[in-house]
Amino acid sequence: MANYMDKKELIKLSILPVIILAIHLFSSITKLYKIYPWIDVPMHFLGGFVLAISSLYFIDLCRKKGYIKFHKSLFFLIIISLVSLGVVLWELGEFTVDITLNMNTQDGLHDTMTDVFISLIGGIAAYFIFKKYFCR
């Protein structure tokens, strides 16, 4: 058997982020964010949560296949770094959409920083809930 990730592993890795993205797109298209502005907070929490789960799974797969090696005490730093990267790229994407399409997905610095903070809280929560399954 080859040492690369098979289709089942890639599907497991991407299924949760795709579901969250689909919920986000549905909420955007149906204007749920405008009707119920509070939905933004749980969506960012879930986004960070799912990023952490996918990152845990990805790093665990890479470790098992021998692609990477590190001490398990670094797991938290690596996972939170990956969640942070995903969150920053998401917020940069929103900023780019606002500028290029003249939209208003970000309501200023306070909104963006709150989004980042809530997403990181979601990522940290997922790490502590699921670390026992991946950090062996």
Side-chain angles (χ1 to χ4, degrees), residues 2 8 22 49-50 56 70 121 125 130 136:
K8 286 182 183 177
F49 196 88
V50 163
L56 281 162
F70 56 86
I121 295 297
F130 292 101
R136 300 174 283 233

Side-chain angles (χ1 to χ4, degrees), residues 32-45 118:
L32 285 179
Y33 289 121
K34 299 293 180 194
I35 298 167
Y36 306 106
W38 58 268
I39 292 175
D40 188 52
V41 172
M43 283 301 296
H44 276 88
F45 181 88
I118 297 297

Side-chain angles (χ1 to χ4, degrees), residues 78-96:
I78 292 167
I79 299 307
I80 295 308
S81 296
L82 290 171
V83 170
S84 298
L85 175 63
V87 170
V88 167
L89 290 175
W90 181 268
E91 293 300 324
L92 285 172
E94 285 186 347
F95 179 74
T96 302

Side-chain angles (χ1 to χ4, degrees), residues 36-118:
Y36 306 106
W38 58 268
I39 292 175
D40 188 52
V41 172
M43 283 301 296
H44 276 88
F45 181 88
L46 285 173
F49 196 88
V50 163
L51 277 173
I53 293 171
S54 293
S55 297
L56 281 162
Y57 183 68
F58 177 72
I59 296 298
D60 192 50
L61 280 175
C62 289
R63 284 179 63 214
K64 287 178 181 174
K65 293 183 179 290
Y67 297 153
I68 57 173
K69 290 185 181 193
F70 56 86
H71 193 274
K72 65 182 179 180
S73 65
L74 292 175
F75 231 101
F76 179 76
L77 179 64
I78 292 167
I79 299 307
I80 295 308
S81 296
L82 290 171
V83 170
S84 298
L85 175 63
V87 170
V88 167
L89 290 175
W90 181 268
E91 293 300 324
L92 285 172
E94 285 186 347
F95 179 74
T96 302
V97 165
D98 285 354
I99 299 278
T100 58
L101 300 178
N102 198 27
M103 295 178 70
N104 188 27
T105 60
Q106 294 179 317
D107 292 329
L109 181 60
H110 184 268
D111 175 66
T112 300
M113 297 312 295
T114 301
D115 292 349
V116 169
F117 179 74
I118 297 297

